[in-house]
Amino acid sequence: MNKKVTALTFAAMVAVVGQPALADAPSFNYVQFDYIVSGDTEIDTGPASESLDLQQGYGLQGAFEIGDYVFVMGRHMSLDYEDEIGFIIGDTVDNSAVNDMTFIGVGAHYLLAEMVDLYGAVGFSRPTFFSIAGEGYGLEVGARANFEMVTASLWYHMAKADTDVGTETIDIDPEMLGLDVAIEFAPDAPQLVLGYVDATNELETGGLEADIDYDHFSIGVRKTF
């Protein structure tokens, strides 16, 4: 993942906004829907590799505070691909659950120097690779800052999961680095969210390995409470 580029993008965006302090602390009571509009994906299975076109996708996420610092959160992402060649996915499969992900966790946040709200969460993770769903734990850490009409979020998510298929155990380990910029055009109105994710997804069973490297852009709507 190109973490350096994404981090620099976040820093540049904050500099452009040009506000010296938080307008208000970012809310951890929200729901959000994202429509994933474009992206590139490279699948490497060792002896074979292929690039897939992202056909469409969507994301759902939300959080709810249960105290001054503690919150529960959820995140789901589903990406659909078109494999015209049928080299890896198959000749008859147009929309495949190649690298979907679900995460439900409990976390805490802390306002640092009245500038950035840091947070972390741990919980249940269910990543999917080639329609094979694993179950395990996930971890997410991030930073959020609210500048007048703009809320910026930089987050990192990783998971360790596995599943049994016959006598084999399959390990599925996704990693994602994301940037969300939410823009509020009027007080108490839903926010327009522009997002970017750079990610990898690794599968291993026995001596076989497969990797997905992908990124995508999204546009969404967030409502805070």
Side-chain angles (χ1 to χ4, degrees):
M1 293 187 297
N2 196 342
K3 298 180 180 180
K4 184 177 180 181
V5 172
T6 308
L8 289 175
T9 302
F10 177 78
M13 183 274 302
V14 172
V16 170
V17 173
Q19 298 292 332
L22 286 171
D24 291 299
S27 174
F28 280 84
N29 292 305
Y30 71 91
V31 292
Q32 179 176 324
F33 172 81
D34 296 305
Y35 180 72
I36 299 167
V37 295
S38 67
D40 297 316
T41 298
E42 182 74 24
I43 300 178
D44 185 359
T45 61
S49 63
E50 184 180 357
S51 296
L52 298 180
D53 293 328
L54 178 64
Q55 197 171 57
Q56 63 182 354
Y58 71 90
L60 295 171
Q61 60 175 291
F64 179 73
E65 288 186 290
I66 54 178
D68 292 336
Y69 303 101
V70 180
F71 64 90
V72 294
M73 70 170 296
R75 184 186 296 275
H76 176 75
M77 180 185 68
S78 179
L79 305 179
D80 293 332
Y81 294 93
E82 182 175 0
D83 184 17
E84 296 179 352
I85 300 176
F87 187 47
I88 291 180
I89 296 179
D91 294 326
T92 61
V93 179
D94 289 330
N95 296 318
S96 293
V98 177
N99 53 345
D100 294 2
M101 186 275 291
T102 300
F103 172 71
I104 301 173
V106 178
H109 64 96
Y110 179 75
L111 186 60
L112 181 65
E114 297 186 355
M115 286 295 297
V116 178
D117 208 352
L118 305 178
Y119 76 90
V122 63
F124 170 80
S125 182
R126 189 177 188 270
T128 300
F129 193 106
F130 291 121
S131 299
I132 300 173
E135 294 184 354
Y137 72 90
L139 173 69
E140 181 166 319
V141 294
R144 305 180 70 201
N146 188 20
F147 300 95
E148 296 296 337
M149 297 173 62
V150 176
T151 301
S153 304
L154 181 66
W155 53 272
Y156 168 77
H157 181 95
M158 59 83 65
K160 296 288 185 180
D162 59 53
T163 187
D164 293 328
V165 177
T167 60
E168 297 289 337
T169 297
I170 301 176
D171 297 319
I172 306 175
D173 303 329
E175 288 186 76
M176 293 180 288
L177 184 67
L179 172 67
D180 294 327
V181 178
I183 305 170
E184 185 177 42
F185 294 98
D188 299 324
Q191 296 170 304
L192 173 69
V193 184
L194 305 177
Y196 174 75
V197 170
D198 187 15
T200 62
N201 201 344
E202 298 180 355
L203 178 147
E204 182 176 356
T205 176
L208 301 177
E209 295 183 2
D211 299 292
I212 288 182
D213 293 310
Y214 66 97
D215 62 356
H216 60 74
F217 294 90
S218 63
I219 182 169
V221 177
R222 177 189 299 169
K223 177 60 179 175
T224 59
F225 302 96

